[in-house]
């Protein structure tokens, strides 16, 4: 069968499993609730502009966290329970695996963004996109942002050592990227070298594209270039998407080839011994 079709089927199965697990539902709902709380805190003085900036930052951060933090966690679990080992010899299995993760994250992010927009409107009085062009901009930025970060997250996850501590260490630079990317405050307020560094990462372009959908055109003055730069946003995210989709299946296949029953058994024994200790 077509690996992309298999991936979509796999993603649908994982979604059904989440809907039947109360703990997972609470975990996924916590992200939009967290960013709604941040937006409320930043807009407590009644500044509507800060509400819009915070909401845009929350949507961009949701995409970023799902793609570059949640996907490596999925990968760690699938490596630990032998899922990737079973896929090792199946042609096209890694392409189907990445496709399934992209679909799974796409649905979860869509639900999270819907909750953020609805909660922002009802609880904070935030402004929603008010023209078809703004809605279209929101959709394509979100979709392209997901395709840009999810494969990269899978590629990074394949390079992490099979140790739970590695995820904690990996989170530190990811949080640093969120800070320097102007997620919740104008990027132009940061030093020029930080602006240049942030431009290398997809989060800067995701949040800028989302701001173009949620904020009025007059807010372009807050951007470093003084414009929304839709062409640049699309180009930067497309480059990340192409790189991720090219690298992730190869790196996952290489990681799977290094897996073996003996390694899986050793990790299980260490886990049991650590739990007993």
């Amino acid at each position: 069968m077509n690996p992309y079709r298999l991936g979509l089927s796999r993603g649908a199965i994982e979604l059904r499993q989440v809907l039947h697990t109360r703990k997972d539902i609470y975990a996924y709902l916590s992200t939009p609730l967290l960013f709604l709380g941040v937006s409320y805190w930043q807009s407590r003085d009644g500044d509507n502009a800060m509400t819009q900036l915070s909401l845009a930052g929350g949507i961009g951060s949701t995409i970023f966290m799902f793609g570059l933090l949640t996907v490596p966690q999925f990968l760690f679990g699938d490596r630990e329970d032998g899922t990737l080992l079973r896929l090792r010899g199946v042609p096209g299995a890694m392409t189907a695996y990445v496709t399934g993760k992209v679909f799974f994250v796409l649905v979860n992010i869509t639900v999270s963004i819907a909750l953020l927009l609805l909660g922002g409107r009802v609880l904070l009085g935030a402004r929603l996109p008010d023209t078809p062009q703004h809605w279209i901009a929101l959709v394509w930025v979100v979709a392209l942002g997901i395709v840009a970060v999810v494969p990269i997250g899978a590629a990074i996850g394949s390079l992490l050592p099979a140790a739970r501590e590695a995820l904690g260490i990996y989170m530190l630079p990811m949080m640093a990227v969120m800070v320097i990317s102007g997620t919740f405050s104008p990027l132009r307020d940061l030093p020029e070298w930080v602006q240049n560094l942030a431009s290398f990462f997809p989060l800067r372009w995701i949040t800028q594209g989302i701001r173009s959908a949620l904020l009025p055109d007059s807010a372009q003055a807050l951007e470093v270039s003084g414009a929304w730069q839709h062409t640049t946003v699309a180009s930067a995210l497309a480059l990340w998407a192409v790189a991720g989709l090219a690298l992730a299946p190869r790196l996952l296949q290489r990681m799977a080839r290094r897996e073996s029953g003996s390694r899986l058994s050793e990790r299980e024994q260490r886990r049991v011994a650590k739990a007993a200790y």
Side-chain angles (χ1 to χ4, degrees):
M1 291 182 64
N2 185 293
Y4 297 102
R5 186 180 301 173
L6 285 173
L8 293 176
S9 177
R10 178 185 179 89
I13 292 172
E14 292 182 355
L15 286 170
R16 287 197 294 269
Q17 291 175 341
V18 168
L19 292 175
H20 288 86
T21 308
R22 184 176 301 177
K23 181 180 178 181
D24 288 342
I25 293 176
Y26 290 156
Y28 290 119
L29 287 178
S30 65
T31 299
L33 291 176
L34 170 65
F35 289 125
L36 279 176
V38 172
S39 299
Y40 175 79
W41 181 79
Q42 289 198 311
S43 62
R44 63 192 184 281
D45 58 355
D47 189 343
N48 187 63
M50 285 305 300
T51 300
Q52 297 298 126
L53 283 172
S54 299
L55 191 60
I59 294 174
S61 298
T62 297
I63 297 172
F64 184 78
M65 291 178 65
F66 264 99
L68 292 180
L69 292 177
T70 304
V71 170
Q73 291 176 6
F74 289 155
L75 191 60
F76 177 83
D78 290 342
R79 187 193 304 184
E80 288 292 290
D81 66 13
T83 297
L84 292 177
L85 177 60
R86 292 190 292 272
L87 296 177
R88 185 175 61 179
V90 181
M94 291 306 165
T95 300
Y97 179 85
V98 174
T99 302
K101 292 304 180 189
V102 170
F103 178 70
F104 179 84
V105 172
L106 174 61
V107 174
N108 277 280
I109 290 177
T110 300
V111 173
S112 296
I113 290 175
L115 291 173
L116 279 168
L117 291 174
L118 180 62
R121 178 60 180 170
V122 174
L123 301 177
L124 307 177
R127 169 183 173 271
L128 299 181
D130 54 5
T131 66
Q133 291 78 11
H134 285 157
W135 279 109
I136 291 171
L138 180 64
V139 170
W140 74 255
V141 170
V142 168
L144 193 53
I146 292 170
V147 179
V149 299
V150 171
I152 292 296
I156 293 174
S158 70
L159 298 175
L160 291 175
R164 205 169 292 274
E165 294 79 6
L167 291 175
I169 297 173
Y170 167 67
M171 287 182 67
L172 296 177
M174 292 299 99
M175 293 302 174
V177 170
M178 292 179 64
V179 171
I180 70 170
S181 294
T183 309
F184 294 101
S185 60
L187 185 62
R188 69 174 188 171
D189 294 341
L190 299 176
E192 184 177 354
W193 70 269
V194 177
Q195 298 174 14
N196 294 332
L197 179 61
S199 298
F200 176 75
F201 298 102
L203 181 58
R204 179 258 167 98
W205 304 109
I206 292 172
T207 52
Q208 182 169 318
I210 293 172
R211 285 195 295 270
S212 74
L214 296 185
L215 275 68
D217 289 339
S218 59
Q220 295 182 76
L222 297 174
E223 301 299 332
V224 174
S225 65
W228 295 132
Q229 296 180 291
H230 281 158
T231 301
T232 304
V233 170
S235 299
L237 295 181
L239 285 174
W240 276 99
V242 170
L245 291 171
L247 287 174
R250 291 174 172 81
L251 291 175
L252 289 169
Q253 189 67 52
R254 188 185 72 169
M255 181 192 68
R257 284 198 299 266
R258 297 170 63 183
E259 289 293 299
S260 64
S262 60
R263 286 190 175 186
L264 183 63
S265 178
E266 289 175 4
R267 288 199 297 267
E268 179 64 25
Q269 290 175 5
R270 287 197 298 268
R271 186 162 56 250
V272 171
K274 187 175 181 179
Y277 180 78

